[in-house]
């Protein structure tokens, strides 16, 4: 017998488990299958029906289209010397909502940006509800990298370009400037903005939720760089013109001045200097007066410098013979109750003498012989009172009064340079007709592929005669003697004109001018010099403008390797 049997104890067994009902089992399995079906259906819905929407939402949060800045075209002088170039810079920006609140990180960021912590905090607070703010624009890549090396959350970089002008203030008004977005604002930068700017490119990139670049995905459109612009300017001549003009304005305590030098054979602007000027690379404390290109946009009564042009009109169309002599005694005359004066009584003068002495009386007596308005007609044909056509923003047209019921005094005034207005560029262009045997050449700020034919305006014989008269004006002992250039014959004319203001002419305020052509034997350069309101006793054109012409043109002729043509008695 076993032990259990001997003890008389029967062992207890676990109660049997009640079997699950079939209905309950089926319910549970149905719920599981339904759940799996719903899950599978949702997966199918997300991957098939909602896929475009979800992918679009994801891409909107991660894919970006970045702009690739286009390199702005370079501006050079006629020899390829750079006048305006674009250099790469970096702009730092931030999402204010991602910037850390930690004072230490903000202090490090402010120091790297070169800002005060208080200033940075104020700006962050001002843009707190936005997702974009500039931290600092147009930084050098090295300086920007020092900021990025701090790895401050929310700080990002963007590549840009900054315009740089190697010549600084020397040609500032002609070139103009760009704004912080590298868009032309003044001068040629504005005139040729579409050509210089180019077309920005586009690229698709992958960024994280904080805007940090994860990967470049594809190039959508390549950036097209702007076109290069070659000017007619010769930077060597420009430097000399600017230097001499600035020295003269300082010496005579003048309000300003201009120098325009044209190639007598092509009409190209070889130099165009203005005072006052400014540094386009550093515009802090900029005087707005320095922005103006006075040589193109300012107009004024030219005074006696246009007498050779009026003389040409009277010789060609009037009753003025080569041997005509005019009695200017007693040195003054009254027309329509206006008194016209010379500096003194010059007596009888021939045509060359009238120009050399700059006799207003002589010019007036010749003008009163005319029966037709040939002088204003010739002025217009020479480009006065019309747009020069350079394309420069704000270029002045000047003015010539319409010939309606003119009085005798108006006829006379036009002959000696009053009653009309012109710019320095228009004057220089007009005198190309004297230098080119009667053919006027339109001025060009851009380098030309070939010389223009020009427009015949004055009879060639008349132009040669007037050039010879202007040659006699610039001789030792004359009022224009300071314009003499050692080794070269110079044809020129001085002018001194009173400045106008509201209500009439200003007292003791003048402009001194000189127009010259050199060398006479084979004209290469036409130059206009204007000094605005020189103070002191030396305000005549022969005293303040002629010396500038002599120094600028003398250096230019030697630099251009023009052979001397001076006569033996010339200096």
């Amino acid at each position: 017998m076993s032990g259990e049997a001997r003890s008389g104890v029967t062992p207890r067994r676990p109660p049997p488990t009640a079997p699950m009902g079939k209905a309950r089992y089926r319910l549970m399995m149905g719920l599981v299958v339904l759940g799996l079906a719903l899950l599978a259906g949702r997966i199918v819905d997300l991957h098939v029906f909602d896929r475009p929407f979800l992918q679009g939402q994801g891409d909107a949060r991660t894919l970006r289209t970045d702009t690739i800045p286009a390199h702005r075209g370079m501006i050079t002088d006629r020899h390829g010397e750079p006048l305006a170039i674009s250099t790469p810079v970096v702009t730092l920006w931030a999402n204010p909502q991602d910037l850390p609140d930690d004072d230490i990180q903000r202090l490090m960021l402010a120091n790297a940006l070169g800002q005060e912590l208080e200033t940075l905090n104020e700006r962050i607070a001002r843009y707190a509800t936005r997702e974009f703010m500039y931290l600092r624009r147009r930084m050098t890549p090295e300086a920007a990298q020092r900021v990025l090396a701090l790895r401050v959350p929310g700080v990002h970089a963007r590549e840009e370009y900054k315009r740089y002008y190697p010549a600084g203030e020397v040609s500032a008004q002609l070139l103009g400037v760009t704004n912080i977005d590298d868009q032309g604002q003044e001068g040629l930068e504005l005139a040729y903005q579409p050509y210089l700017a180019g077309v920005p490119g586009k690229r698709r990139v992958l960024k994280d939720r904080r805007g940090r670049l994860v990967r470049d995905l594809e190039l959508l459109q390549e950036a097209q760089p702007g076109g290069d612009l070659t000017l007619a300017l010769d930077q060597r001549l420009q430097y000399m013109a600017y230097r001499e003009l600035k020295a003269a304005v300082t010496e005579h305590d003048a309000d300003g001045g201009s120098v325009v030098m044209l190639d007598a054979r092509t009409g190209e602007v070889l130099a165009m200097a203005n005072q006052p000027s400014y540094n386009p690379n550093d515009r802090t404390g900029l005087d707005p007066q320095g922005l103006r290109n006075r040589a193109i946009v300012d107009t004024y009564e030219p005074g006696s410098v246009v007498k050779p042009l009026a003389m040409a009109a009277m010789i060609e169309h009037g009753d003025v013979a080569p041997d005509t002599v005019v009695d200017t005694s007693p040195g003054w005359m009254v027309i329509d109750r206006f008194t016209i004066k010379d500096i003194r009584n010059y007596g009888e003068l021939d045509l060359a003498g009238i120009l050399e002495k700059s006799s207003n009386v002589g010019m007036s007596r010749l003008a009163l012989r005319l029966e037709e308005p040939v002088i204003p007609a010739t002025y217009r044909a020479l480009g006065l009172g019309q747009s020069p056509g350079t394309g420069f923003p704000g270029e002045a047209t000047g003015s010539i009064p319409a010939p309606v019921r003119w009085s005798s005094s108006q006829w006379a005034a036009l002959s000696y340079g009053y009653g009309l207005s012109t710019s320095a560029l228009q004057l220089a262009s007009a005198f190309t007709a004297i230098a080119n045997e009667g053919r006027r050449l339109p001025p060009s700020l851009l380098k030309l592929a070939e010389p223009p034919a020009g427009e015949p305006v004055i009879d060639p014989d008349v132009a040669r005669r007037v050039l010879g008269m202007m040659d006699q004006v610039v001789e030792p002992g004359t009022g224009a003697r300071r314009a003499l250039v050692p080794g070269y014959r110079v044809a020129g004319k001085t002018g001194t004109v009173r400045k106008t203001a509201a209500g009439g002419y200003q007292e003791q305020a003048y402009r001194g001018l000189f127009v010259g052509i050199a060398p006479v034997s084979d004209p290469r350069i036409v130059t206009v010099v204007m000094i605005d309101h020189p103070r002191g006793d030396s305000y005549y054109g022969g005293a303040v403008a002629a010396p500038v012409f002599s120094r600028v043109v003398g250096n230019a002729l030697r630099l251009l390797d023009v052979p001397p043509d001076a006569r033996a008695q010339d200096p």
Side-chain angles (χ1 to χ4, degrees), residues 91-97 123 126-135 137 154 156 158 160:
T91 286
L92 296 182
W93 64 277
N95 184 341
Q97 300 176 20
R123 294 189 67 244
R126 191 162 62 248
Y127 290 90
T129 60
R130 304 181 186 180
E131 297 183 353
F132 179 91
M133 63 173 283
Y134 285 117
L135 292 175
R137 300 200 66 179
H156 311 281
R158 185 171 72 188
E160 292 182 329

Side-chain angles (χ1 to χ4, degrees), residues 5 13 24 42 70 114 240 305 342 439 480:
R13 296 185 180 186
R24 185 179 179 185
R42 182 57 178 161
M240 291 189 298
V305 292
D342 288 337
R439 292 180 301 109

Side-chain angles (χ1 to χ4, degrees), residues 160-178:
E160 292 182 329
Y161 289 99
K162 179 182 179 181
R163 205 64 160 164
Y164 176 68
Y165 303 91
E169 64 184 52
V170 172
S171 50
Q173 295 93 347
L174 178 61
L175 298 176
V177 291
T178 60

Side-chain angles (χ1 to χ4, degrees), residues 2 25 78 103 153 187 198 241 254 259 265 269 278 289 291 305 308 340 351 355 394 400 406 479 516 527 564:
S2 66
Y25 175 77
R78 65 187 303 108
D103 289 339
V259 173
R265 297 175 175 178
V269 178
Y278 68 99
Q289 293 293 326
L291 288 169
V305 292
I340 299 172
L351 301 184
L355 290 184
I400 297 175
W406 279 2
T527 303

Side-chain angles (χ1 to χ4, degrees), residues 232 262-270 425 432 441-445 448 452:
L262 300 187
D263 187 319
R265 297 175 175 178
T266 65
E268 294 171 303
V269 178
L270 300 178
L425 179 63
T432 60
L441 301 174
S444 175
L445 298 175
L448 300 176

